[in-house]
Amino acid sequence: MMRLAGLLILASLAFGCSVITPPPLMPRHMGAAADPVGAVSATAIGGVAGGPWVNGSAGGEGRVMVQATPRLAVGAGIGGGSDVERRDAAGPHDLVAGRVFGRYGLDARGHFALDFGLGAGGMDNGLRYTTADLGFLASHTFAQRLTIYGGPTVALSMPVQAGDPVEDNNELRAQRTTFAYGLTAGVGVKVIPNLVFSLELLMLDARTQRDEAFIMSGTAGLRVTFGG
């Protein structure tokens, strides 16, 4: 059986019947609408992931974002993940990754935005890699309390230092450049004026020239905003 090592949107690992390089830290847990200029937000995210031919995994991320202009927000996040289903099998099992990112509003009413990022990560088999991602985000807020959001995203993960080969049916194979595309959908609820709790689902197809994996993740986030 092939083994997958994948960073699922939240920094979760997934292992199964494909050999890929992990996608970037991709949970959104925010809508398209801008915060007040100068506002700083901190978000904590955790969740689980899995899929056909993919073992269960869990992970988390912490991030900080600042609204730099009326339309542009920038931030950074760091996270990690671990295989929770087959720790007794051959690795890799764990990873740590980081990402700098931005969100650019496309309309004055805050219904549409682009989000983008650059990142890097490493796995416990010695793999080191970089990532790039781009997405489109649409959202709508009801009664200034409930926000629904979602949209497509694409990403590229590129090894810069090879790790120990991954065993596949008694064959040792290297993790290769991986292209991923998917769709996110989420809902956020304003608990108190500056605190939002959100739930998000992401479906991702990741593939190399040889392998393909379909992954789903569910994450929860808590976002607090200061100033602005």
Side-chain angles (χ1 to χ4, degrees), residues 9-11 24-29 43-47 59-64 76-80 97-99 101 220-222:
I9 336 308
L10 60 119
L25 298 167
M26 294 168 63
R28 284 165 158 166
H29 289 278
T43 306
I45 302 167
E61 180 194 355
R63 70 168 63 135
V64 175
I78 187 168
R99 176 174 172 261
F101 63 91
L222 200 60

Side-chain angles (χ1 to χ4, degrees), residues 21-22 119-121 128-132 156-160:
T21 298
R128 302 294 181 263
Y129 60 94
T130 59
T131 64
L156 190 67
S157 303
M158 298 154 286
V160 294

Side-chain angles (χ1 to χ4, degrees), residues 79-176:
S82 183
D83 176 15
V84 297
E85 187 172 341
R86 295 192 63 187
R87 299 292 301 185
D88 58 330
H93 294 289
D94 305 300
L95 67 79
V96 175
R99 176 174 172 261
V100 293
F101 63 91
R103 178 187 63 191
Y104 185 80
L106 298 176
D107 66 315
R109 300 185 65 181
H111 291 314
F112 306 104
L114 295 177
D115 58 347
F116 46 89
L118 295 172
M123 302 191 71
D124 60 347
N125 68 337
L127 175 72
R128 302 294 181 263
Y129 60 94
T130 59
T131 64
D133 62 271
L134 174 66
F136 174 78
L137 185 61
S139 68
H140 186 76
T141 299
F142 300 90
Q144 299 184 333
R145 181 171 295 271
L146 177 70
T147 299
I148 57 173
Y149 63 90
T153 187
V154 295
L156 190 67
S157 303
M158 298 154 286
V160 294
Q161 176 181 307
D164 295 335
V166 179
E167 185 175 353
D168 162 32
N169 291 328
N170 298 318
E171 176 189 357
L172 294 177
R173 297 176 51 203
Q175 290 159 278
R176 300 174 180 269

Side-chain angles (χ1 to χ4, degrees), residues 4-86:
L4 162 81
L7 177 60
L8 305 181
I9 336 308
L10 60 119
S12 290
L13 289 174
F15 300 88
C17 294
S18 299
V19 178
I20 67 171
T21 298
L25 298 167
M26 294 168 63
R28 284 165 158 166
H29 289 278
M30 62 182 179
D35 296 322
V37 174
V40 176
S41 64
T43 306
I45 302 167
V48 295
W53 307 292
V54 176
N55 292 349
S57 59
E61 180 194 355
R63 70 168 63 135
V64 175
M65 183 176 77
V66 59
Q67 189 70 42
T69 74
R71 295 204 177 192
L72 177 65
V74 294
I78 187 168
S82 183
D83 176 15
V84 297
E85 187 172 341
R86 295 192 63 187

